[in-house]
Amino acid sequence: VEAKKAAAELAITEIQDGMIVGLGTGSTAYWAIQGLGARVQNGLRIQAVATSEASEKLAKELGIPLIPFADISEIDVTIDGADEVDPDWHLIKGGGGALLREKIVAFSSKKLIIVVDESKVVAQLGAFPLPVEVVKFGYELTIRKLRALGCEPKVRVADNQPFVTDNGNCIIDCQFASIPSPAELHQAINGIPGVVENGLFIGMARKVIVGYKDGSVGSL
Ligand code: 5RP
């Protein structure tokens, strides 16, 4: 907890009056939203968009003003977590199942700041199974096409039921032996009809803040 919180607290120091802020999802982004809530209560003036129903609910509880997507063209800064970060700042995201909304928000953000604890920093992506969001229709076929890319695909389950995303889709967790070429794999997966989006975030992060067990922080 200390490591995640420390990274999140450093990240929110970048947020200033008047900014439109993207709120990430997960247990690290949680601390960023908490910290922003405290600053809003102390007079910080921001407007926010959330990357999940859960983060939206938390923001509302904390009194962070939310703005409809229709009213914005760009987001100043988004703070989000990740499941893996490599030395090129490519990411695997979607452990919490919010990868589609996270990628939509990240793509329209001037700056994406990633907050992680040290356990997420890897030399090469792929030990963490890559989450892929797929539509339910014909997903047995979609899964076969994913397997043909060289992974062991598994339908994500929650409470003994297939996990359903905020967008009404399924998540297939794809275990590759390793992911030596993340950009190519990203293209190949998104080229399969039935795939909505995958958890590889290539060249999107503009800053990575790493929290350590002793509460110290550093940049990657
Ligand atoms: C959710 C995500 C999260 O950012 C990722 O799973 C990291 O979560 P946590 O900070 O709880 O480890 O991509 O879809």
Side-chain angles (χ1 to χ4, degrees):
V1 171
E2 273 320 305
K4 294 181 175 188
K5 195 173 171 194
E9 282 178 352
L10 180 60
I12 65 164
T13 62
E14 302 228 2
I15 307 302
Q16 294 159 11
D17 272 336
M19 282 186 169
I20 296 172
V21 181
L23 307 174
T25 296
S27 59
T28 318
Y30 167 89
W31 290 111
I33 300 171
Q34 283 287 352
L36 283 173
R39 285 186 60 198
V40 165
Q41 274 149 37
N42 284 321
L44 177 72
R45 289 177 297 104
I46 56 167
Q47 291 175 301
V49 292
T51 56
S52 61
E53 309 276 348
S55 293
E56 181 171 328
K57 181 167 174 278
L58 179 61
K60 279 186 184 152
E61 285 165 7
L62 295 168
I64 300 173
L66 291 159
I67 187 170
F69 284 98
D71 295 352
I72 58 172
S73 56
E74 246 186 346
I75 297 150
D76 292 297
V77 178
T78 291
I79 302 174
D80 204 349
D83 300 299
E84 283 186 347
V85 187
D86 81 3
D88 297 322
W89 295 1
H90 300 327
L91 318 169
I92 287 183
K93 287 181 53 52
L99 67 101
L100 175 58
R101 293 188 185 196
E102 291 172 340
K103 199 177 276 189
I104 291 170
V105 168
F107 192 70
S108 284
S109 300
K110 284 189 249 176
K111 187 168 188 180
L112 174 63
I113 303 177
I114 294 299
V115 285
V116 290
D117 65 49
E118 55 189 316
S119 71
K120 311 291 187 57
V121 178
V122 298
Q124 190 180 66
L125 299 178
F128 190 92
L130 176 65
V132 179
E133 181 155 348
V134 306
V135 297
K136 277 192 204 136
F137 176 85
Y139 81 148
E140 294 86 349
L141 297 178
T142 310
I143 290 170
R144 274 194 206 122
K145 297 296 178 192
L146 287 167
R147 180 175 280 120
L149 294 176
C151 67
E152 193 43 59
K154 233 191 205 157
V155 179
R156 187 177 299 180
V157 170
D159 301 326
N160 290 319
Q161 305 275 352
F163 173 86
V164 180
T165 69
D166 286 348
N167 319 297
N169 300 313
C170 302
I171 297 278
I172 313 300
D173 291 304
C174 296
Q175 183 72 69
F176 288 85
S178 66
I179 302 180
S181 309
E184 280 164 36
L185 183 62
H186 180 272
Q187 288 300 111
I189 292 175
N190 283 11
I192 300 172
V195 168
V196 183
E197 194 45 84
N198 76 84
L200 286 167
F201 282 52
I202 308 298
M204 296 184 95
R206 289 289 165 275
K207 188 170 203 172
V208 177
I209 299 176
V210 184
Y212 297 88
K213 280 191 224 72
D214 62 3
S216 66
V217 283
S219 290
L220 189 66

PDB file of all heavy atoms in Angstrom, residues 4 24-30 80-83 92-100 102 115-117 120 128 156 201, ligand 1:
ATOM      1  N   LYS A   4       2.367   2.102  -3.488  1.00  0.00           N
ATOM      2  CA  LYS A   4       1.361   2.597  -4.439  1.00  0.00           C
ATOM      3  C   LYS A   4       0.941   4.018  -4.083  1.00  0.00           C
ATOM      4  O   LYS A   4       0.802   4.894  -4.942  1.00  0.00           O
ATOM      5  CB  LYS A   4       0.134   1.679  -4.424  1.00  0.00           C
ATOM      6  CG  LYS A   4       0.432   0.280  -4.954  1.00  0.00           C
ATOM      7  CD  LYS A   4      -0.798  -0.609  -4.962  1.00  0.00           C
ATOM      8  CE  LYS A   4      -0.448  -1.944  -5.608  1.00  0.00           C
ATOM      9  NZ  LYS A   4      -1.603  -2.795  -5.837  1.00  0.00           N
ATOM     10  N   GLY A  24      -7.673   7.256 -13.458  1.00  0.00           N
ATOM     11  CA  GLY A  24      -7.432   5.857 -13.797  1.00  0.00           C
ATOM     12  C   GLY A  24      -8.241   4.904 -12.935  1.00  0.00           C
ATOM     13  O   GLY A  24      -9.122   5.311 -12.165  1.00  0.00           O
ATOM     14  N   THR A  25      -7.917   3.618 -13.071  1.00  0.00           N
ATOM     15  CA  THR A  25      -8.657   2.568 -12.372  1.00  0.00           C
ATOM     16  C   THR A  25      -7.669   1.615 -11.696  1.00  0.00           C
ATOM     17  O   THR A  25      -6.599   1.348 -12.232  1.00  0.00           O
ATOM     18  CB  THR A  25      -9.533   1.793 -13.386  1.00  0.00           C
ATOM     19  OG1 THR A  25     -10.502   2.697 -13.911  1.00  0.00           O
ATOM     20  CG2 THR A  25     -10.252   0.621 -12.725  1.00  0.00           C
ATOM     21  N   GLY A  26      -8.079   1.095 -10.520  1.00  0.00           N
ATOM     22  CA  GLY A  26      -7.247   0.111  -9.829  1.00  0.00           C
ATOM     23  C   GLY A  26      -6.812   0.616  -8.472  1.00  0.00           C
ATOM     24  O   GLY A  26      -7.151   1.744  -8.068  1.00  0.00           O
ATOM     25  N   SER A  27      -6.024  -0.216  -7.788  1.00  0.00           N
ATOM     26  CA  SER A  27      -5.685   0.074  -6.399  1.00  0.00           C
ATOM     27  C   SER A  27      -4.609   1.162  -6.268  1.00  0.00           C
ATOM     28  O   SER A  27      -4.454   1.752  -5.192  1.00  0.00           O
ATOM     29  CB  SER A  27      -5.224  -1.210  -5.704  1.00  0.00           C
ATOM     30  OG  SER A  27      -4.098  -1.742  -6.360  1.00  0.00           O
ATOM     31  N   THR A  28      -3.854   1.446  -7.337  1.00  0.00           N
ATOM     32  CA  THR A  28      -2.866   2.529  -7.284  1.00  0.00           C
ATOM     33  C   THR A  28      -3.531   3.849  -7.677  1.00  0.00           C
ATOM     34  O   THR A  28      -3.374   4.875  -6.984  1.00  0.00           O
ATOM     35  CB  THR A  28      -1.664   2.234  -8.212  1.00  0.00           C
ATOM     36  OG1 THR A  28      -1.299   0.859  -8.072  1.00  0.00           O
ATOM     37  CG2 THR A  28      -0.471   3.108  -7.858  1.00  0.00           C
ATOM     38  N   ALA A  29      -4.309   3.805  -8.774  1.00  0.00           N
ATOM     39  CA  ALA A  29      -5.065   4.997  -9.194  1.00  0.00           C
ATOM     40  C   ALA A  29      -6.016   5.441  -8.080  1.00  0.00           C
ATOM     41  O   ALA A  29      -6.284   6.641  -7.928  1.00  0.00           O
ATOM     42  CB  ALA A  29      -5.843   4.697 -10.473  1.00  0.00           C
ATOM     43  N   TYR A  30      -6.486   4.479  -7.292  1.00  0.00           N
ATOM     44  CA  TYR A  30      -7.355   4.795  -6.146  1.00  0.00           C
ATOM     45  C   TYR A  30      -6.724   5.873  -5.265  1.00  0.00           C
ATOM     46  O   TYR A  30      -7.381   6.830  -4.858  1.00  0.00           O
ATOM     47  CB  TYR A  30      -7.601   3.511  -5.333  1.00  0.00           C
ATOM     48  CG  TYR A  30      -8.209   3.728  -3.972  1.00  0.00           C
ATOM     49  CD1 TYR A  30      -9.598   3.763  -3.811  1.00  0.00           C
ATOM     50  CD2 TYR A  30      -7.404   3.896  -2.836  1.00  0.00           C
ATOM     51  CE1 TYR A  30     -10.160   3.967  -2.562  1.00  0.00           C
ATOM     52  CE2 TYR A  30      -7.963   4.109  -1.584  1.00  0.00           C
ATOM     53  CZ  TYR A  30      -9.335   4.145  -1.448  1.00  0.00           C
ATOM     54  OH  TYR A  30      -9.886   4.352  -0.206  1.00  0.00           O
ATOM     55  N   ASP A  80      -2.851   6.918 -14.150  1.00  0.00           N
ATOM     56  CA  ASP A  80      -3.399   5.562 -14.159  1.00  0.00           C
ATOM     57  C   ASP A  80      -2.327   4.562 -13.734  1.00  0.00           C
ATOM     58  O   ASP A  80      -1.127   4.859 -13.785  1.00  0.00           O
ATOM     59  CB  ASP A  80      -3.916   5.231 -15.577  1.00  0.00           C
ATOM     60  CG  ASP A  80      -4.995   4.151 -15.575  1.00  0.00           C
ATOM     61  OD1 ASP A  80      -5.211   3.500 -14.535  1.00  0.00           O
ATOM     62  OD2 ASP A  80      -5.642   3.977 -16.635  1.00  0.00           O
ATOM     63  N   GLY A  81      -2.764   3.384 -13.339  1.00  0.00           N
ATOM     64  CA  GLY A  81      -1.841   2.307 -12.959  1.00  0.00           C
ATOM     65  C   GLY A  81      -1.473   1.462 -14.163  1.00  0.00           C
ATOM     66  O   GLY A  81      -1.816   1.776 -15.305  1.00  0.00           O
ATOM     67  N   ALA A  82      -0.764   0.367 -13.898  1.00  0.00           N
ATOM     68  CA  ALA A  82      -0.423  -0.589 -14.956  1.00  0.00           C
ATOM     69  C   ALA A  82      -0.110  -1.923 -14.293  1.00  0.00           C
ATOM     70  O   ALA A  82       0.205  -1.978 -13.096  1.00  0.00           O
ATOM     71  CB  ALA A  82       0.769  -0.107 -15.771  1.00  0.00           C
ATOM     72  N   ASP A  83      -0.183  -2.980 -15.089  1.00  0.00           N
ATOM     73  CA  ASP A  83       0.155  -4.307 -14.569  1.00  0.00           C
ATOM     74  C   ASP A  83       1.616  -4.653 -14.840  1.00  0.00           C
ATOM     75  O   ASP A  83       2.232  -5.389 -14.073  1.00  0.00           O
ATOM     76  CB  ASP A  83      -0.776  -5.347 -15.194  1.00  0.00           C
ATOM     77  CG  ASP A  83      -2.225  -5.032 -14.860  1.00  0.00           C
ATOM     78  OD1 ASP A  83      -2.535  -5.028 -13.664  1.00  0.00           O
ATOM     79  OD2 ASP A  83      -3.003  -4.727 -15.775  1.00  0.00           O
ATOM     80  N   ILE A  92       1.456  -3.222 -20.024  1.00  0.00           N
ATOM     81  CA  ILE A  92       0.282  -4.099 -20.035  1.00  0.00           C
ATOM     82  C   ILE A  92      -0.677  -3.535 -19.008  1.00  0.00           C
ATOM     83  O   ILE A  92      -0.293  -3.257 -17.856  1.00  0.00           O
ATOM     84  CB  ILE A  92       0.616  -5.571 -19.694  1.00  0.00           C
ATOM     85  CG1 ILE A  92       1.343  -6.233 -20.874  1.00  0.00           C
ATOM     86  CG2 ILE A  92      -0.665  -6.344 -19.364  1.00  0.00           C
ATOM     87  CD1 ILE A  92       1.652  -7.715 -20.662  1.00  0.00           C
ATOM     88  N   LYS A  93      -1.933  -3.328 -19.439  1.00  0.00           N
ATOM     89  CA  LYS A  93      -2.980  -2.860 -18.548  1.00  0.00           C
ATOM     90  C   LYS A  93      -4.212  -3.749 -18.712  1.00  0.00           C
ATOM     91  O   LYS A  93      -4.302  -4.512 -19.650  1.00  0.00           O
ATOM     92  CB  LYS A  93      -3.349  -1.397 -18.855  1.00  0.00           C
ATOM     93  CG  LYS A  93      -2.241  -0.429 -18.388  1.00  0.00           C
ATOM     94  CD  LYS A  93      -2.578   1.025 -18.653  1.00  0.00           C
ATOM     95  CE  LYS A  93      -3.892   1.498 -18.125  1.00  0.00           C
ATOM     96  NZ  LYS A  93      -4.134   1.227 -16.693  1.00  0.00           N
ATOM     97  N   GLY A  94      -5.146  -3.604 -17.778  1.00  0.00           N
ATOM     98  CA  GLY A  94      -6.403  -4.342 -17.899  1.00  0.00           C
ATOM     99  C   GLY A  94      -6.605  -5.403 -16.847  1.00  0.00           C
ATOM    100  O   GLY A  94      -7.603  -6.127 -16.875  1.00  0.00           O
ATOM    101  N   GLY A  95      -5.653  -5.490 -15.902  1.00  0.00           N
ATOM    102  CA  GLY A  95      -5.829  -6.432 -14.790  1.00  0.00           C
ATOM    103  C   GLY A  95      -7.139  -6.192 -14.062  1.00  0.00           C
ATOM    104  O   GLY A  95      -7.775  -7.120 -13.564  1.00  0.00           O
ATOM    105  N   GLY A  96      -7.548  -4.930 -14.024  1.00  0.00           N
ATOM    106  CA  GLY A  96      -8.822  -4.585 -13.386  1.00  0.00           C
ATOM    107  C   GLY A  96      -9.984  -4.588 -14.367  1.00  0.00           C
ATOM    108  O   GLY A  96     -11.119  -4.310 -13.991  1.00  0.00           O
ATOM    109  N   GLY A  97      -9.698  -4.876 -15.628  1.00  0.00           N
ATOM    110  CA  GLY A  97     -10.759  -5.005 -16.622  1.00  0.00           C
ATOM    111  C   GLY A  97     -11.216  -3.703 -17.256  1.00  0.00           C
ATOM    112  O   GLY A  97     -12.198  -3.686 -17.990  1.00  0.00           O
ATOM    113  N   ALA A  98     -10.486  -2.615 -17.013  1.00  0.00           N
ATOM    114  CA  ALA A  98     -10.936  -1.307 -17.510  1.00  0.00           C
ATOM    115  C   ALA A  98     -10.139  -0.826 -18.722  1.00  0.00           C
ATOM    116  O   ALA A  98     -10.161   0.344 -19.074  1.00  0.00           O
ATOM    117  CB  ALA A  98     -10.852  -0.277 -16.387  1.00  0.00           C
ATOM    118  N   LEU A  99      -9.432  -1.741 -19.403  1.00  0.00           N
ATOM    119  CA  LEU A  99      -8.457  -1.319 -20.412  1.00  0.00           C
ATOM    120  C   LEU A  99      -9.053  -0.504 -21.549  1.00  0.00           C
ATOM    121  O   LEU A  99      -8.405   0.406 -22.070  1.00  0.00           O
ATOM    122  CB  LEU A  99      -7.716  -2.539 -20.969  1.00  0.00           C
ATOM    123  CG  LEU A  99      -8.557  -3.532 -21.793  1.00  0.00           C
ATOM    124  CD1 LEU A  99      -8.344  -3.338 -23.281  1.00  0.00           C
ATOM    125  CD2 LEU A  99      -8.206  -4.944 -21.399  1.00  0.00           C
ATOM    126  N   LEU A 100     -10.287  -0.792 -21.970  1.00  0.00           N
ATOM    127  CA  LEU A 100     -10.856  -0.069 -23.113  1.00  0.00           C
ATOM    128  C   LEU A 100     -11.082   1.400 -22.772  1.00  0.00           C
ATOM    129  O   LEU A 100     -10.616   2.292 -23.491  1.00  0.00           O
ATOM    130  CB  LEU A 100     -12.167  -0.730 -23.557  1.00  0.00           C
ATOM    131  CG  LEU A 100     -12.928  -0.001 -24.671  1.00  0.00           C
ATOM    132  CD1 LEU A 100     -12.071   0.152 -25.927  1.00  0.00           C
ATOM    133  CD2 LEU A 100     -14.229  -0.747 -24.995  1.00  0.00           C
ATOM    134  N   GLU A 102      -9.763   2.980 -20.351  1.00  0.00           N
ATOM    135  CA  GLU A 102      -8.445   3.561 -20.034  1.00  0.00           C
ATOM    136  C   GLU A 102      -7.719   3.982 -21.313  1.00  0.00           C
ATOM    137  O   GLU A 102      -7.081   5.041 -21.366  1.00  0.00           O
ATOM    138  CB  GLU A 102      -7.593   2.547 -19.264  1.00  0.00           C
ATOM    139  CG  GLU A 102      -8.115   2.295 -17.854  1.00  0.00           C
ATOM    140  CD  GLU A 102      -7.418   1.167 -17.127  1.00  0.00           C
ATOM    141  OE1 GLU A 102      -6.795   0.304 -17.773  1.00  0.00           O
ATOM    142  OE2 GLU A 102      -7.510   1.133 -15.894  1.00  0.00           O
ATOM    143  N   VAL A 115       1.451   5.252 -12.588  1.00  0.00           N
ATOM    144  CA  VAL A 115       1.892   5.068 -11.198  1.00  0.00           C
ATOM    145  C   VAL A 115       1.859   3.581 -10.863  1.00  0.00           C
ATOM    146  O   VAL A 115       0.839   2.922 -11.039  1.00  0.00           O
ATOM    147  CB  VAL A 115       1.020   5.882 -10.211  1.00  0.00           C
ATOM    148  CG1 VAL A 115       1.376   7.349 -10.294  1.00  0.00           C
ATOM    149  CG2 VAL A 115      -0.478   5.714 -10.455  1.00  0.00           C
ATOM    150  N   VAL A 116       3.001   3.058 -10.424  1.00  0.00           N
ATOM    151  CA  VAL A 116       3.108   1.620 -10.129  1.00  0.00           C
ATOM    152  C   VAL A 116       3.979   1.410  -8.887  1.00  0.00           C
ATOM    153  O   VAL A 116       4.761   2.295  -8.510  1.00  0.00           O
ATOM    154  CB  VAL A 116       3.774   0.842 -11.305  1.00  0.00           C
ATOM    155  CG1 VAL A 116       2.866   0.783 -12.517  1.00  0.00           C
ATOM    156  CG2 VAL A 116       5.131   1.431 -11.675  1.00  0.00           C
ATOM    157  N   ASP A 117       3.841   0.222  -8.297  1.00  0.00           N
ATOM    158  CA  ASP A 117       4.841  -0.161  -7.300  1.00  0.00           C
ATOM    159  C   ASP A 117       5.930  -0.958  -8.025  1.00  0.00           C
ATOM    160  O   ASP A 117       5.762  -1.350  -9.178  1.00  0.00           O
ATOM    161  CB  ASP A 117       4.222  -0.926  -6.128  1.00  0.00           C
ATOM    162  CG  ASP A 117       3.642  -2.261  -6.543  1.00  0.00           C
ATOM    163  OD1 ASP A 117       4.337  -3.032  -7.233  1.00  0.00           O
ATOM    164  OD2 ASP A 117       2.479  -2.539  -6.192  1.00  0.00           O
ATOM    165  N   LYS A 120       5.785  -4.025 -10.601  1.00  0.00           N
ATOM    166  CA  LYS A 120       5.254  -3.947 -11.962  1.00  0.00           C
ATOM    167  C   LYS A 120       6.338  -3.693 -13.010  1.00  0.00           C
ATOM    168  O   LYS A 120       6.072  -3.756 -14.199  1.00  0.00           O
ATOM    169  CB  LYS A 120       4.226  -2.808 -12.055  1.00  0.00           C
ATOM    170  CG  LYS A 120       3.156  -2.787 -10.986  1.00  0.00           C
ATOM    171  CD  LYS A 120       2.206  -3.925 -11.131  1.00  0.00           C
ATOM    172  CE  LYS A 120       1.017  -3.885 -10.199  1.00  0.00           C
ATOM    173  NZ  LYS A 120       0.209  -2.692 -10.293  1.00  0.00           N
ATOM    174  N   PHE A 128       2.785 -11.244 -17.158  1.00  0.00           N
ATOM    175  CA  PHE A 128       1.383 -10.987 -16.790  1.00  0.00           C
ATOM    176  C   PHE A 128       0.519 -11.329 -18.007  1.00  0.00           C
ATOM    177  O   PHE A 128       0.797 -10.853 -19.110  1.00  0.00           O
ATOM    178  CB  PHE A 128       1.221  -9.515 -16.403  1.00  0.00           C
ATOM    179  CG  PHE A 128      -0.116  -9.201 -15.778  1.00  0.00           C
ATOM    180  CD1 PHE A 128      -0.274  -9.253 -14.396  1.00  0.00           C
ATOM    181  CD2 PHE A 128      -1.214  -8.873 -16.562  1.00  0.00           C
ATOM    182  CE1 PHE A 128      -1.506  -8.979 -13.807  1.00  0.00           C
ATOM    183  CE2 PHE A 128      -2.448  -8.602 -15.985  1.00  0.00           C
ATOM    184  CZ  PHE A 128      -2.592  -8.653 -14.606  1.00  0.00           C
ATOM    185  N   ARG A 156     -11.820 -14.702 -18.542  1.00  0.00           N
ATOM    186  CA  ARG A 156     -11.787 -14.238 -17.146  1.00  0.00           C
ATOM    187  C   ARG A 156     -13.127 -14.522 -16.472  1.00  0.00           C
ATOM    188  O   ARG A 156     -14.186 -14.303 -17.057  1.00  0.00           O
ATOM    189  CB  ARG A 156     -11.471 -12.743 -17.070  1.00  0.00           C
ATOM    190  CG  ARG A 156     -11.253 -12.301 -15.613  1.00  0.00           C
ATOM    191  CD  ARG A 156     -10.876 -10.862 -15.483  1.00  0.00           C
ATOM    192  NE  ARG A 156      -9.613 -10.554 -16.167  1.00  0.00           N
ATOM    193  CZ  ARG A 156      -9.071  -9.335 -16.189  1.00  0.00           C
ATOM    194  NH1 ARG A 156      -9.673  -8.327 -15.578  1.00  0.00           N
ATOM    195  NH2 ARG A 156      -7.939  -9.125 -16.835  1.00  0.00           N
ATOM    196  N   PHE A 201      -0.319  -0.959 -24.142  1.00  0.00           N
ATOM    197  CA  PHE A 201      -0.300   0.497 -24.343  1.00  0.00           C
ATOM    198  C   PHE A 201       1.099   0.835 -24.846  1.00  0.00           C
ATOM    199  O   PHE A 201       2.076   0.818 -24.090  1.00  0.00           O
ATOM    200  CB  PHE A 201      -0.588   1.228 -23.020  1.00  0.00           C
ATOM    201  CG  PHE A 201      -2.055   1.248 -22.623  1.00  0.00           C
ATOM    202  CD1 PHE A 201      -2.796   0.075 -22.569  1.00  0.00           C
ATOM    203  CD2 PHE A 201      -2.677   2.437 -22.274  1.00  0.00           C
ATOM    204  CE1 PHE A 201      -4.146   0.086 -22.190  1.00  0.00           C
ATOM    205  CE2 PHE A 201      -4.021   2.472 -21.895  1.00  0.00           C
ATOM    206  CZ  PHE A 201      -4.754   1.296 -21.864  1.00  0.00           C
TER     207      PHE A 201
HETATM  208  C1  5RP B   1      -7.210  -1.722 -14.778  1.00  0.00           C
HETATM  209  C2  5RP B   1      -5.770  -1.447 -14.946  1.00  0.00           C
HETATM  210  C3  5RP B   1      -5.000  -1.094 -13.734  1.00  0.00           C
HETATM  211  O1  5RP B   1      -4.390   0.111 -13.941  1.00  0.00           O
HETATM  212  C4  5RP B   1      -4.005  -2.171 -13.484  1.00  0.00           C
HETATM  213  O2  5RP B   1      -4.694  -3.388 -13.375  1.00  0.00           O
HETATM  214  C5  5RP B   1      -3.197  -1.900 -12.226  1.00  0.00           C
HETATM  215  O3  5RP B   1      -4.002  -2.032 -11.094  1.00  0.00           O
HETATM  216  P1  5RP B   1      -3.412  -1.902  -9.623  1.00  0.00           P
HETATM  217  O4  5RP B   1      -2.931  -0.503  -9.477  1.00  0.00           O
HETATM  218  O5  5RP B   1      -4.603  -2.231  -8.744  1.00  0.00           O
HETATM  219  O6  5RP B   1      -2.327  -2.921  -9.494  1.00  0.00           O
HETATM  220  O7  5RP B   1      -5.222  -1.471 -16.017  1.00  0.00           O
HETATM  221  O8  5RP B   1      -7.803  -2.093 -15.995  1.00  0.00           O
END
